[in-house]
C-alpha cells in the first residue's frame, strides 16, 4: 500500500467518524448569508486542516521555503484573510507555495491554502495571484467541504467521503482561474468536487475580500 493511499484512508476514517457523530442542525453562514447543514464544527474543521496539511504538502513536492517567495504569497493571503467575516480572521491561516509543476490550487478546512509553483509561473501580475488565493479562502469561509459532506450524507452516498477536501483539485490553469471543479477517486476514497454554485460562490467571496 502506498504512503498516499494510507494517508487518504486515515483521512477517510477520521472524516467518517466526524459524520457518524454529526447531529442534525442548520446554521447561518455569516460569509454567505446562507443557511447550511454542516457535518463539521469549527474545531473539527481546524483539526482536519492541521492533521492533513503535512501529508498533502509532501504529496505535492513539498513547500518552497525561500523567504521572499513564501513571504510574498503568505502576505497576500493574510491581507485577504483579514477581510473575511465573523470569526474567520482568527482561523489559523497558512498559505503554502508548493514546489510542484502541476497547475493547481486548493484549500483544506480551517484555513490551510495551497498554490503550486506551476500555477504561479503562469501568472503575470499580483491581481491574478490574489484572485486564486481569494477563491480558495472563499471555499474555507463558505464551509464548502463540510457542506458537501452533509449533502453526501443526506443523499445516502455510502463510504468515507472527503467532500472536496482539496478544494476540488482542478485540471489546468483555466480551470483554476475560472473555478471549475472536477471529481476524482484516489486510493479508494471518493473526493467529491464542489458544485458549480459553490465555485461561483467562492469566486464572489474571493472578489469581495
Amino acid at each position: 500500500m502506498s504512503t498516499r493511499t494510507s494517508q487518504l484512508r486515515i483521512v477517510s476514517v477520521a472524516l467518517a467518524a466526524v459524520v457518524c457523530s454529526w447531529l442534525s442542525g442548520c446554521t447561518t453562514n455569516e460569509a454567505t448569508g446562507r443557511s447550511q447543514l454542516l457535518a463539521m464544527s469549527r474545531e473539527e474543521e481546524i483539526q482536519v486542516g492541521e492533521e492533513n496539511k503535512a501529508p498533502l504538502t509532501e504529496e505535492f513536492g513539498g513547500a518552497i521555503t525561500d523567504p521572499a517567495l513564501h513571504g510574498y504569497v503568505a502576505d497576500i493571503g493574510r491581507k485577504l484573510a483579514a477581510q473575511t467575516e465573523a470569526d474567520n480572521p482568527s482561523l489559523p491561516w497558512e498559505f503554502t507555495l508548493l514546489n510542484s509543476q502541476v497547475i493547481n490550487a486548493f484549500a483544506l478546512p480551517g484555513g490551510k491554502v495551497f498554490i503550486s509553483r506551476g500555477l504561479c509561473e503562469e501568472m503575470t501580475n499580483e491581481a491574478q495571484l490574489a484572485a486564486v488565493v481569494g477563491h480558495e479562502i472563499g471555499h474555507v469561509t463558505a464551509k464548502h467541504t463540510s457542506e458537501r459532506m452533509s449533502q453526501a450524507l443526506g443523499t445516502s452516498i455510502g463510504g468515507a467521503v472527503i467532500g472536496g477536501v482539496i478544494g476540488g483539485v482542478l485540471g489546468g490553469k483555466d480551470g483554476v482561474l475560472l473555478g471549475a471543479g472536477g471529481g476524482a477517486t484516489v486510493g479508494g476514497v471518493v473526493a467529491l468536487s464542489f458544485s458549480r454554485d459553490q465555485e461561483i460562490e467562492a469566486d464572489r467571496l474571493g472578489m469581495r475580500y
Side-chain angles (χ1 to χ4, degrees), residues 81 84 88-95 110-113 136-137 140-141:
T84 59
N88 287 313
S90 66
L91 285 172
W93 293 99
E94 291 185 55
F95 301 90
K112 303 296 185 277
V113 176
E136 298 306 331
I137 289 174
V140 174
T141 61

Side-chain angles (χ1 to χ4, degrees), residues 154-166:
T155 53
S156 300
I157 296 178
V161 177
I162 301 179
V165 156
I166 53 177

Side-chain angles (χ1 to χ4, degrees), residues 29 31 42 45-46 49-50 53 70 73-97 106-114 132-144 202 205-206 209:
N29 187 312
R42 173 186 168 94
E45 287 185 325
I46 292 172
E50 293 286 355
K53 175 186 65 175
H70 170 75
V73 173
D75 183 59
I76 291 174
R78 285 192 295 265
K79 287 177 179 177
L80 294 169
Q83 305 304 314
T84 59
E85 305 80 3
D87 57 358
N88 287 313
S90 66
L91 285 172
W93 293 99
E94 291 185 55
F95 301 90
T96 301
L97 179 60
F106 55 88
L108 288 169
K112 303 296 185 277
V113 176
F114 304 81
V132 171
V133 175
H135 175 92
E136 298 306 331
I137 289 174
H139 279 309
V140 174
T141 61
K143 299 182 179 294
H144 285 157
L205 289 171
Y209 304 145

Side-chain angles (χ1 to χ4, degrees), residues 19-170:
V19 172
C20 288
S21 64
W22 169 51
L23 297 177
S24 297
C26 289
T27 182
T28 298
N29 187 312
E30 294 188 52
T32 65
R34 291 193 294 109
S35 179
Q36 292 176 297
L37 187 63
L38 302 175
M40 289 189 287
S41 68
R42 173 186 168 94
E43 292 72 24
E44 288 166 335
E45 287 185 325
I46 292 172
Q47 182 179 358
V48 168
E50 293 286 355
E51 291 178 352
N52 294 284
K53 175 186 65 175
L56 279 173
T57 299
E58 181 180 356
E59 179 64 30
F60 285 89
I64 291 178
T65 58
D66 178 270
L69 294 176
H70 170 75
Y72 183 66
V73 173
D75 183 59
I76 291 174
R78 285 192 295 265
K79 287 177 179 177
L80 294 169
Q83 305 304 314
T84 59
E85 305 80 3
D87 57 358
N88 287 313
S90 66
L91 285 172
W93 293 99
E94 291 185 55
F95 301 90
T96 301
L97 179 60
L98 298 168
N99 191 21
S100 171
Q101 281 297 109
V102 175
I103 295 175
N104 202 2
F106 55 88
L108 288 169
K112 303 296 185 277
V113 176
F114 304 81
I115 186 168
S116 71
R117 174 168 58 92
L119 178 55
C120 288
E121 288 174 349
E122 297 291 337
M123 297 177 179
T124 59
N125 57 58
E126 184 173 276
Q128 292 173 352
L129 177 58
V132 171
V133 175
H135 175 92
E136 298 306 331
I137 289 174
H139 279 309
V140 174
T141 61
K143 299 182 179 294
H144 285 157
T145 294
S146 186
E147 186 173 48
R148 289 298 276 173
M149 288 177 63
S150 301
Q151 291 167 347
L153 186 65
T155 53
S156 300
I157 296 178
V161 177
I162 301 179
V165 156
I166 53 177
V169 176
L170 307 178

Side-chain angles (χ1 to χ4, degrees), residues 194-206:
F194 293 132
S195 70
R196 172 64 64 179
D197 286 345
Q198 287 172 324
E199 293 293 348
I200 292 173
E201 189 169 65
D203 280 337
R204 289 172 176 166
L205 289 171

